[in-house]
Amino acid sequence: MTLKITLKVLVLFVIISFSSCAMFDPIAKVNLNSLKLGMTKEEVRATIKKRPDNIIAAKRDAETENLIEVVQYTQEVDPVGTYWLYFENNKLTKWEKATKWRQPEI
């Protein structure tokens, strides 16, 4: 009886592991063509099918109290590139190719 339960748990773990890898590929090509202004961070993540590298900048605007975040996505395959996606109150407002010579403008 215990062996059956252990086997079921193991099979379930393998299925979850493979399905999550298929949904978010860490070296997937970042396809910005399907992005639309106004998308939420969750919608962007689902569209790109890749988790962001990290949040590289954030601030709260003193006048409007809006939260502005810059999220970084890196494409590991040709052409290699890093992109900054700007979100204001969890909505995509713009994106650009990152450069090592300057910081995101927020």
Side-chain angles (χ1 to χ4, degrees), residues 5-19:
I5 293 173
T6 304
L7 184 59
K8 287 179 182 179
V9 169
L10 181 62
V11 168
L12 183 61
F13 176 75
V14 170
I15 289 171
I16 291 172
S17 295
F18 282 122
S19 66

Side-chain angles (χ1 to χ4, degrees), residues 70-85:
V70 182
V71 178
Q72 179 172 299
Y73 281 89
T74 300
Q75 180 171 289
E76 304 287 339
V77 294
D78 288 331
V80 175
T82 301
Y83 300 91
W84 293 334
L85 282 65

Side-chain angles (χ1 to χ4, degrees), residues 49-104:
K49 297 186 173 110
K50 182 181 187 323
R51 288 190 176 106
D53 303 339
N54 53 25
I55 297 172
I56 60 167
K59 79 169 190 175
R60 185 165 302 277
D61 188 294
E63 292 178 17
T64 64
E65 290 295 313
N66 290 344
L67 177 63
I68 302 167
E69 295 177 293
V70 182
V71 178
Q72 179 172 299
Y73 281 89
T74 300
Q75 180 171 289
E76 304 287 339
V77 294
D78 288 331
V80 175
T82 301
Y83 300 91
W84 293 334
L85 282 65
Y86 293 75
F87 292 90
E88 188 168 340
N89 290 335
N90 199 36
K91 299 288 186 182
L92 183 64
T93 58
K94 73 175 183 176
W95 60 90
E96 65 185 354
K97 189 165 175 88
T99 66
K100 57 184 172 184
W101 297 283
R102 66 177 183 85
Q103 296 294 315

Side-chain angles (χ1 to χ4, degrees), residues 32-44:
L32 301 178
N33 294 330
S34 52
L35 294 181
K36 295 181 175 97
L37 296 178
M39 294 176 94
T40 65
K41 284 191 279 188
E42 294 78 23
E43 291 170 331
V44 168

